[in-house]
Structure formats: structure tokens, C-alpha cells
Amino acid sequence: GDNFSFKSINAYAGKITGLAVALAVAFTFITALVVLSNMTRLMEEERAQTACLITLGYSPKQVIGKYLLFVFVATSVGGVAAYFVGTGLCSFIYLVFGYSYVMPPESGIFSVTALFATLRSGLKTSAETPAELLKPRSPVPGKKVIIEKIPFIWNRLSFKYKSTARNVLRYMNRFIMTVVAVAGSMGLVIAGLALLDMCLFGNFGNASIAWLAVVVVAFAALLTLTAIYTITNISISERNREIATLMVLGYYDGEVSGYIYREIYIDVVVGVLFGYGVGAVLANIVFAVMGVGSLAKIGWYVWLIAPAVVWFFTFLVTII
């Protein structure tokens, strides 16, 4: 019980376990949101096919089973690549920690996040009757926004900015998904940067944890790219007729692009604002798990770098 090495490795094991659980939950939540967005779009695009299957006698369970099989195959194929990436990443982490400790054998787990997200979308779609599924979705009605109650501002906006402001709340589900995805991803970036700042400039000074923080920031940034890219694609695919109408009316390509991307930028701004709160919560969890550090000791640059990362990948999506 008085062995210093034993106490040291036991303390670090507890900290890393808590940190891994907290980050895994956050990453899994954002991943589920991305999968849910993709599968919802796929099922919306195949509403007529679903209606035909139900009319031919297929049960809702069989229809949902088709999509579950699809996502299972897609996840399995992606999992092959993920296995090698994950194995390489784990080997790197083991190598870093191996300088100080004798590490146990590596192990892995299978995530069923994609299947649960698909099941949720499938239940919603299959609940409709074939007649409803064969009909195209009615356009979402326009809504007044709170800014319209401020004539001083609203009357000075041009038509394109008025339409953008209304469309942001017109597509409420997409707005919420974008805000949640951006806020969650930015929160992970802040948590990773806070952990890195604690290691480099705080009183923790552990190289192994610092490398782990770098990995968290890198993967959170990639998750941001994936989430924004997916939701932007959904925004475009859901509004093909609307975009075609604008082009027929004489809108140039740049104007049509601005029509879509202005909404994305507004969603990202709101997501970034909420991301500060999410990041503060995640950073507090990290500090509580590690038993060292606090929000007050985080460098001011962390709060600037995190939104910069989000905006960099947002502009990258715009270019793509």
C-alpha cells in the first residue's frame, strides 16, 4: 500500500478511465446526430419506394430491416478502415504511455450508435400510410421572426437578408441539428485545448496526457467538418426545386450559393455561442476527472482558437 509506483499508476488509470468515458460519450452523441441526419435524408428520398413496399405486403419491421441492413453494411465497411486507424491510434497512445508504465493488452468494442439512429428514423417513416408516403412533402410554411418586431432593424434589411432570417427558423429541425452539432464539436475542441493548455502551461506537465489532448482536438475538428458537410448537403438536397426556381428567376450561381450559405453561417454562429457553454461544461468535467486545473486558469487563446477551428472547417465546406 506504500508503493509509490503502484499508487501513481492506479491514480493515472482512474483519471484516464474517467476522461475516456466522458469524451467517448460526447463523440458518440455527435456521431449519432450525423448518422441520424443522413438516414433521415435517405428515407425521405425513398418515401415512394417505402410506400410501394408496404402496399406489396411488406411489414414496417421488414422495411426498417432493409435500412438497418444498409447501415450495418455501411458501418461494417467503414469499420474496416476505422479498425486500422483506431489500431494505429491506440498503438500510438500505448507507445506514449509505455515510456512511463507497463501497459496491459489492447482491446476494442463495437458501437451500435448507427443502428439505433437508423431505427429511430425508420419508425417515424414507416408509421405513415402508403398514400401519405406517395405524396411529396409539402413545403415548410414561412414564419415570422423576432427581429421583425424591431422595425428599426427589419426595415433596413434587403430582401435577401429578410428571406435568410425567415428561412433559418423555417427549417427548425435542421437549425437545431446544426446548432447541436456545432456546439458539441466546438465543446470537444475547447475540452481538448483546455487539457493541452493544462499540460503545456499549467502545473500538470504530463507529455502523455498532452498527446492525448492533441488527438482529441484533431478528431473533434474532423467531426466538425463531417457534421457541417452532412447538414449542408441535406440543406441543398431538400431544396432542389427551390434552388431551381431561383435560377429560373435569374439568380446567378453566386447569389444562389449565398442564399444557402448565409443560413449555414447563421446556424454556425448560434452553434458557436452555445459551444462556449458546452466547452465550459466538458472542460470542467475533464478538470474534475484529472483532479487538477480550472476554467479560470485556461489561457485566453483557447477561447479564440476553438471558434477559429469551427469557422475554418465551415469555410472549407463552403469551398467543397
Side-chain angles (χ1 to χ4, degrees), residues 13-29:
K15 292 176 180 179
I16 296 301
T17 300
L19 184 60
V21 171
L23 294 177
V25 170
F27 272 108
T28 301
F29 176 76

Side-chain angles (χ1 to χ4, degrees), residues 33-318:
L33 183 64
V34 174
V35 174
L36 178 63
S37 302
N38 275 303
M39 294 309 299
T40 300
R41 179 181 63 170
L42 176 61
M43 292 179 188
E44 283 293 323
E45 291 175 350
E46 297 187 353
R47 286 169 57 84
Q49 185 182 121
T50 300
C52 292
L53 290 173
I54 294 176
T55 303
L56 290 172
Y58 286 88
S59 67
K61 289 182 180 179
Q62 290 174 309
V63 174
I64 295 173
K66 183 189 77 165
Y67 291 105
L68 289 175
L69 178 61
F70 169 82
V71 78
F72 177 78
V73 173
T75 303
S76 299
V77 173
V80 173
Y83 171 79
F84 292 105
V85 174
T87 301
L89 182 60
C90 287
S91 297
F92 171 74
I93 294 175
Y94 267 63
L95 177 65
V96 172
F97 279 90
Y99 287 117
S100 304
Y101 307 105
V102 177
M103 302 297 291
E106 298 179 34
S107 62
I109 59 172
F110 175 71
S111 174
V112 293
T113 301
L115 296 179
F116 279 113
T118 303
L119 181 62
R120 185 265 184 192
S121 297
L123 290 173
K124 181 180 178 181
T125 301
S126 61
E128 298 185 54
T129 63
E132 292 172 335
L133 291 170
L134 286 171
K135 296 178 183 178
R137 285 281 189 190
S138 300
V140 180
K143 295 180 180 179
K144 287 189 175 183
V145 293
I146 191 170
I147 197 175
E148 293 187 49
K149 297 180 180 180
I150 311 175
F152 176 77
I153 299 176
W154 182 254
N155 293 337
R156 285 169 171 74
L157 294 177
S158 63
F159 171 77
K160 64 180 181 181
Y161 290 111
K162 288 181 178 179
S163 62
T164 296
R166 284 179 174 173
N167 281 337
V168 167
L169 295 181
R170 178 184 171 197
Y171 300 95
M172 182 58 69
N173 288 338
R174 189 169 60 244
F175 170 74
I176 294 174
M177 282 194 296
T178 306
V179 169
V180 172
V182 172
S185 300
M186 180 173 162
L188 286 168
V189 173
I190 290 177
L193 290 174
L195 185 59
L196 183 62
D197 181 70
M198 179 182 69
C199 294
L200 297 180
F201 306 107
N203 56 359
F204 196 63
N206 188 289
S208 302
I209 303 297
W211 278 110
L212 183 61
V214 171
V215 171
V216 171
V217 173
F219 275 85
L222 290 175
L223 193 59
T224 303
L225 173 65
T226 304
I228 296 177
Y229 181 82
T230 299
I231 295 173
T232 301
N233 266 334
I234 292 174
S235 175
I236 295 173
S237 64
E238 285 181 346
R239 301 163 68 180
N240 281 335
R241 295 181 181 179
E242 188 177 337
I243 293 172
T245 301
L246 292 175
M247 297 178 74
V248 170
L249 290 174
Y251 280 67
Y252 294 110
D253 289 349
E255 292 174 319
V256 175
S257 298
Y259 182 75
I260 297 295
Y261 292 132
R262 274 192 299 272
E263 298 173 25
I264 296 296
Y265 293 155
I266 291 174
D267 294 347
V268 171
V269 167
V270 178
V272 165
L273 293 177
F274 279 100
Y276 279 116
V278 175
V281 171
L282 289 178
N284 268 327
I285 292 174
V286 169
F287 293 143
V289 169
M290 301 305 293
V292 63
S294 66
L295 286 178
K297 295 181 180 179
I298 295 178
W300 58 269
Y301 42 84
V302 169
W303 306 104
L304 296 180
I305 294 176
V309 170
V310 172
W311 278 110
F312 171 78
F313 284 106
T314 300
F315 289 129
L316 185 60
V317 168
T318 301

